[in-house]
Amino acid sequence: MKAYDIVIIGGGPAGLAAAAAAKRSGIDSILILERDRELGGILNQCIHNGFGLHTFKEELTGPEYASRFIDQVEELGIEYKLNTMVMDISPNKVVTAMNREEGLYEIQAKAIVLAMGCRERSRGALNIPGYRPAGIYSAGTAQRLVNMEGFMPGRTCVILGSGDIGLIMARRMTFEGAKVKVVAELMPYSGGLKRNIVQCLDDYGIPLKLSHTVVDIKGKERLEGITLAQVDNKGKPIPGTEEFYECDTLLLSVGLIPENELSNGMGVAMNPITSGPIVNESLETNIEGVFACGNVLHVHDLVDFVSEEAAAAGRNAAAYVKDGAAANVKEVITLKGVDGVRYTVPSTINVDRMADQLIVRFRVGGVYKNCYVSTYFDDERVLRRKRPVVAPGEMEEVKLSKEQLLKYPDLKTITIKIEEA
């Protein structure tokens, strides 16, 4: 059995950033395992720009952003295996993987970084009555077909769901000569970034219908059209609001789910709201020496934040390999989100082990205008930031400093909430 100090599961933006940070922290024995035929993950099919504004202070396409990190991994001499599927990880950090060259084999790791990313939710398709004709794709599948395989899914298109991939594909299909008739969204607000609604829909005159969903599919062999209807505040279609759209393609952009089968299999504790692991200030799960970062932890809106978070996970994994498990000297502080804040990452903080500054990331459960993001230490409000608008499509953050937390030696709970201005 081969042994490595750190094994990273996934060679996308999170895995690459974690590997580079771990190597720079003085760990030489690192292995990245990637199931695809190349490094870079989902970024390889994201040929639009808008990446790297935070990390590199310039606007890059997805493949350009990925190549910067791939170059770092190559320059640092980090070992990686492609076309390698991880089948299982045991609680004592034995990774079972397989590929064509070596067959099924095992690797013993001192620390593991989970960076498997996320997959598309298909649930939205399953509640729609009608046949299952050709022409129904998830937005990410359509993106791969158009951008990487050179295949056009269809000519007239309706998109269900206003997640970022759906919005970007509305523009992409338009560029390729297709007619995108409408983007429908079940919720009363969009699930994507504001800039994507403006740049991908408004700029091309594509209508966005909020509180609408697909209630019927026409066509047996190939999709011929779909029926949209307005929904009430419980998400139930309102009779009499049906509209028929003739189209040969339906793209589904109904959300993303962290890819956590391996994590579940090894006994990592999960957060039911994010569908990702519960982690502490070091991004360490309940299994000692197992860290999680990027979209496998919670779905991010910007890849720059994925890289930043993954670099922290890589540094913390390196520190764990060097120093072993830190003795829990202090009581841990619990973080919780209430009054509009759905979750927080991390969920607990051990002040002794945290870096000088900790970024707590979270998403809200609705659209709140003219409000405050407030942070309470037990019952005392310590931080308060005014926001013109917060929405579920955009991740929010609160910065906590070690110096600040050390002033509250008996602190038990940090609560983040949305308050009216």
Side-chain angles (χ1 to χ4, degrees):
M1 192 191 298
K2 272 197 161 183
Y4 287 87
D5 285 346
I6 300 177
V7 174
I8 295 167
I9 317 295
L16 296 170
K23 181 82 175 193
R24 290 192 182 107
S25 301
I27 302 295
D28 289 326
S29 169
I30 301 171
L31 176 66
I32 302 171
L33 298 174
E34 168 55 54
R35 67 181 175 190
D36 209 351
R37 57 179 186 252
E38 57 209 343
L39 294 174
I42 199 72
L43 290 179
N44 292 323
Q45 69 183 51
C46 301
I47 63 171
H48 51 279
N49 60 3
F51 300 93
L53 290 166
H54 294 263
T55 311
F56 299 112
K57 304 290 181 271
E58 58 182 305
E59 203 169 22
L60 304 170
T61 65
E64 285 172 332
Y65 186 94
S67 76
R68 299 255 173 129
F69 279 96
I70 293 168
D71 291 347
Q72 287 181 30
V73 164
E74 299 280 9
E75 283 160 19
L76 291 164
I78 296 168
E79 192 181 337
Y80 58 86
K81 287 181 192 287
L82 302 175
N83 297 310
T84 299
M85 191 77 182
V86 176
M87 311 303 290
D88 181 60
I89 309 171
S90 74
N92 58 352
K93 302 192 274 289
V94 174
V95 178
T96 307
M98 70 184 296
N99 59 31
R100 273 187 195 158
E101 290 75 35
E102 296 159 279
L104 192 69
Y105 59 96
E106 290 186 330
I107 302 160
Q108 176 68 62
K110 287 183 185 169
I112 288 174
V113 179
L114 303 171
M116 293 87 74
C118 57
R119 64 171 190 269
E120 288 182 279
R121 193 190 293 274
S122 58
R123 197 183 74 188
L126 305 179
N127 307 337
I128 305 167
Y131 289 100
R132 288 286 172 266
I136 301 174
Y137 299 87
S138 70
T141 303
Q143 186 181 49
R144 187 176 179 101
L145 289 172
V146 174
N147 293 348
M148 293 183 79
E149 316 292 344
F151 174 81
M152 194 62 184
R155 288 283 155 211
T156 49
C157 182
V158 170
I159 297 175
L160 175 61
S162 62
D164 288 313
I165 310 171
L167 299 173
I168 284 160
M169 280 312 290
R171 177 177 65 181
R172 189 77 189 94
M173 294 290 280
T174 304
F175 282 171
E176 290 298 332
K179 170 75 180 149
V180 180
K181 294 199 163 176
V182 66
V183 175
E185 170 57 61
L186 179 70
M187 304 304 279
Y189 48 80
S190 167
L193 292 169
K194 180 73 180 150
R195 72 176 191 207
N196 284 337
I197 297 168
V198 173
Q199 292 171 6
C200 301
L201 301 187
D202 300 356
D203 289 0
Y204 299 94
I206 299 167
L208 171 61
K209 294 206 159 198
L210 299 173
S211 301
H212 278 71
T213 193
V214 175
V215 291
D216 194 26
I217 287 174
K218 184 180 177 214
K220 201 166 183 182
E221 298 303 318
R222 174 81 198 194
L223 185 68
E224 293 168 19
I226 58 100
T227 304
L228 279 190
Q230 200 173 340
V231 297
D232 59 22
N233 54 11
K234 292 197 173 104
K236 296 274 182 288
I238 301 168
T241 61
E242 296 88 354
E243 284 176 275
F244 181 74
Y245 287 86
E246 205 173 291
C247 60
D248 61 15
T249 309
L250 173 65
L251 301 187
L252 302 165
S253 175
V254 289
L256 299 164
I257 313 167
E259 188 85 77
N260 271 304
E261 283 70 24
L262 288 170
S263 322
N264 277 317
M266 69 187 296
V268 169
M270 291 289 164
N271 181 329
I273 295 167
T274 60
S275 302
I278 295 169
V279 294
N280 64 16
E281 75 296 322
S282 305
L283 301 173
E284 188 177 21
T285 65
N286 61 312
I287 299 178
E288 192 186 289
V290 177
F291 300 80
C293 58
N295 283 351
V296 81
L297 180 56
H298 58 134
V299 176
H300 292 60
D301 45 6
L302 298 181
V303 73
D304 301 74
F305 298 150
V306 168
S307 304
E308 190 182 301
E309 185 179 272
R315 286 191 296 272
N316 294 332
Y320 172 82
V321 170
K322 287 177 182 167
D323 309 332
N328 280 339
V329 188
K330 287 192 93 155
E331 290 281 308
V332 294
I333 300 164
T334 305
L335 280 108
K336 60 180 189 182
V338 297
D339 298 349
V341 176
R342 295 185 65 223
Y343 67 87
T344 66
V345 171
S347 304
T348 58
I349 298 173
N350 179 333
V351 182
D352 288 347
R353 287 167 46 177
M354 78 180 262
D356 292 336
Q357 194 177 55
L358 179 70
I359 297 175
V360 179
R361 294 203 161 97
F362 60 91
R363 283 188 193 261
V364 293
V367 177
Y368 299 91
K369 292 183 176 171
N370 195 19
C371 61
Y372 289 103
V373 175
S374 300
T375 307
Y376 285 78
F377 286 9
D378 287 335
D379 297 323
E380 182 190 339
R381 187 169 67 204
V382 179
L383 300 169
R384 185 182 198 201
R385 194 172 84 235
K386 188 157 193 208
R387 295 299 308 276
V389 63
V390 291
E394 309 213 13
M395 212 158 63
E396 298 292 327
E397 61 179 42
V398 166
K399 290 187 170 113
L400 300 175
S401 74
K402 188 166 188 169
E403 186 186 356
Q404 194 179 27
L405 292 177
L406 287 170
K407 291 176 186 165
Y408 294 83
D410 301 322
L411 181 59
K412 295 276 186 289
T413 309
I414 295 174
T415 309
I416 301 173
K417 58 172 84 170
I418 303 297
E419 295 182 322
E420 284 183 15

